[in-house]
Amino acid sequence: YHNYLFHLTGIRLAPKEKLDIPVLFMPHAMKIYKAEVVIHVMRENGENWPYEVSAESNEDLNSNFTIAENGGIQGILWIYPVHGMPEAPQQKLVVVQCRARQRVEQRVEMLVIGVMPGAAALPDARNSATVNTSKSANTQVHVTDGFPATVEFLYELQYQSNEIKSQLESLVGMQLVQKEWDTESRIVTLIFNVVFAPNKPMRSGATLVVQCATGGVWKFPMQFVATEPEVDDVINIEAVGLNKESIVGFKLTSQTR
């Protein structure tokens, strides 16, 4: 926790009135920042709320109340933990292109700039700000070669809508195959193997989201383009004469039920 303390005092609130508290986040490095917003409420007339504090509840109450000498409650505390997760600027668009009904396998390099290997690790799961897992499964990788400390990454492919997800999820596969760490520039290069096997012409977007355990989120926009497929066959119909029908037969096979 940083030793920055800001006080807002003398704010009067009527019953049922709302209080908006602005929180400004200006990160200087790609690491997790933590703070607490503490709301301390006391009666305007200075009187205490009467309450009998038992020995069993005294420890719990001290974290939520300020107790007066006479045993009453002098103030009530609301404590809101705030975790700031820096996000890198939008990265360059990566395009993966393939003809429909074919399969392309492509190596893609993602540069993760600004990793802080000496920063504190993520807090426990119930308080951490992690990559959203509702859109695709997370994959955790470790980068240890040349690092002063073990740095963990989470990555996932997020889609713009559920419709695009249902369209692309079974057609796209991503796997981290290599990671490199430049000790001078402090740039981590993550090399992914991307497989794209479209079944029809399309143009859809997705975002590869990479999160470092020490803090920081990097987003890499991706576009998957499927062009027109190759011609299946050429059908030649030979005329048998003027004003006479010529018939040729061919088979169509459905790929699904």
Side-chain angles (χ1 to χ4, degrees):
Y1 288 85
H2 293 275
N3 296 323
Y4 297 116
L5 207 54
F6 299 92
H7 290 283
L8 294 176
T9 59
I11 299 177
R12 299 175 59 188
L13 286 180
K16 304 293 184 180
E17 188 176 355
K18 294 182 179 180
L19 173 63
D20 293 328
I21 301 176
V23 177
L24 179 64
F25 180 44
M26 298 178 62
H28 299 290
M30 297 296 285
K31 63 180 182 179
I32 293 178
Y33 293 84
K34 305 175 187 177
E36 284 185 346
V37 177
V38 180
I39 313 299
H40 188 200
V41 176
M42 295 180 291
R43 283 184 171 179
E44 187 178 11
N45 57 13
E47 296 181 359
N48 298 329
W49 286 280
Y51 192 85
E52 294 184 3
V53 181
S54 62
E56 293 79 9
S57 63
N58 188 36
E59 184 176 349
D60 294 334
L61 286 173
N62 285 339
S63 61
N64 299 310
F65 302 96
T66 54
I67 308 300
E69 294 180 358
N70 59 6
I73 296 176
Q74 185 179 16
I76 304 175
L77 296 173
W78 284 268
I79 302 174
Y80 298 90
V82 178
H83 290 176
M85 182 71 69
E87 183 175 315
Q90 190 81 350
Q91 306 297 311
K92 184 180 178 181
L93 177 67
V94 176
V95 179
V96 179
Q97 184 168 316
C98 179
R99 298 189 74 166
R101 299 206 304 269
Q102 291 187 7
R103 180 181 183 274
V104 66
E105 193 165 338
Q106 181 175 329
R107 289 168 69 92
V108 177
E109 291 188 2
M110 306 296 189
L111 298 182
V112 180
I113 302 174
V115 178
M116 301 290 291
L122 275 173
D124 54 59
R126 65 178 180 273
N127 291 328
S128 62
T130 58
V131 174
N132 182 12
T133 61
S134 61
K135 296 186 178 180
S136 66
N138 279 357
T139 304
Q140 182 171 305
V141 297
H142 299 268
V143 181
T144 56
D145 297 338
F147 259 65
T150 300
V151 175
E152 298 178 359
F153 288 94
L154 296 172
Y155 70 90
E156 68 169 341
L157 200 60
Q158 292 184 353
Y159 305 97
Q160 298 173 352
S161 65
N162 289 331
E163 182 181 357
I164 296 178
K165 177 183 177 182
S166 62
Q167 184 183 37
L168 274 182
E169 196 171 31
S170 60
L171 309 178
V172 176
M174 290 195 68
Q175 181 182 9
L176 183 71
V177 294
Q178 189 176 346
K179 51 267 186 187
E180 299 173 355
W181 161 252
D182 191 317
T183 55
E184 293 184 2
S185 63
R186 284 197 168 187
I187 296 177
V188 180
T189 302
L190 300 180
I191 302 176
F192 292 88
N193 187 52
V194 182
V195 177
F196 182 38
N199 52 11
K200 62 181 179 179
M202 67 175 67
R203 181 182 294 268
S204 299
T207 302
L208 176 65
V209 181
V210 177
Q211 177 181 323
C212 182
T214 58
V217 175
W218 294 261
K219 293 184 178 181
F220 301 90
M222 303 187 68
Q223 184 131 54
F224 296 92
V225 180
T227 57
E228 291 291 333
E230 293 183 354
V231 174
D232 292 295
D233 200 358
V234 177
I235 301 172
N236 295 315
I237 304 178
E238 185 176 348
V240 295
L242 293 175
N243 298 319
K244 293 183 179 180
E245 292 182 351
S246 297
I247 299 176
V248 64
F250 58 92
K251 294 181 179 181
L252 295 178
T253 302
S254 174
Q255 299 298 320
T256 65
R257 297 180 63 183

